[in-house]
Amino acid sequence: MQMQHHFTVPVPVDVAWKALLDPERVAPCMPGATLTKAEGNEFAGSVKVKLGPVTLLYKGTGTFKEVDEAGRRVVIDASGKDSRGNGTASASVTATLQPEGESTAVTVDTDLKVTGKPAQLGRGLISEVGGKILNQFATCLAEKLQGGEG
């Protein structure tokens, strides 16, 4: 399932780029996410997601597959398994940053694959919840970066 989201953070592209490459800085902005390990290009943790009547807790890992400093583009592969055996999820996430004056425009392309119960709930619900999560993430990241942590 392909999803695309756009948002803007009110900081220069260099500041946003450094933050994006630091899981310890951005993980607290992802609703339901807990980072348990971050070493080099790899990280691990869990994400709690509520999809309609079903609450899922995915535990898994992620890797920065490509980091294009000049193009301000990063590709992250992540995968996890629901702790209650309700399925798996994997995603390839490509984030591209573009300077927009003193702000940064961010485009996030996600190729998401889910199995088990969540897959039965339908694409519309998954896409809607994914959009809400990314909007909350963008708002939190903007506040965090504007708060002088840049």
Side-chain angles (χ1 to χ4, degrees):
M1 178 165 110
Q2 302 286 330
M3 297 185 292
Q4 186 175 71
H5 297 90
H6 304 276
F7 61 90
T8 303
V9 287
V11 295
V13 71
D14 290 345
V15 174
W17 177 251
K18 282 185 188 133
L20 182 67
L21 297 179
D22 184 353
E24 291 174 350
R25 284 182 68 195
V26 295
C29 282
M30 186 60 73
T34 304
L35 186 68
T36 54
K37 182 181 99 181
E39 290 176 15
N41 281 346
E42 298 184 358
F43 53 93
S46 62
V47 179
K48 188 176 187 177
V49 181
K50 186 159 175 48
L51 281 175
V54 181
T55 299
L56 304 153
L57 178 65
Y58 290 104
K59 293 184 178 181
T61 59
T63 306
F64 287 93
K65 280 286 182 208
E66 293 175 37
V67 178
D68 177 4
E69 179 91 28
R72 296 288 195 245
R73 182 177 167 276
V74 63
V75 179
I76 300 166
D77 283 346
S79 62
K81 202 180 232 178
D82 178 59
S83 62
R84 293 182 203 96
N86 285 327
T88 63
S90 64
S92 179
V93 180
T94 302
T96 308
L97 281 58
Q98 295 284 331
E100 208 172 72
E102 286 300 304
S103 296
T104 302
V106 183
T107 301
V108 180
D109 292 301
T110 306
D111 182 6
L112 179 66
K113 294 176 183 70
V114 290
T115 66
K117 249 187 199 166
Q120 298 164 6
L121 295 173
R123 177 186 169 90
L125 181 62
I126 293 170
S127 184
E128 181 184 325
V129 170
K132 284 181 183 172
I133 289 171
L134 212 62
N135 288 342
Q136 290 173 4
F137 171 79
T139 300
C140 173
L141 186 63
E143 289 170 1
K144 190 176 186 114
L145 293 177
Q146 269 189 307
E149 289 192 41

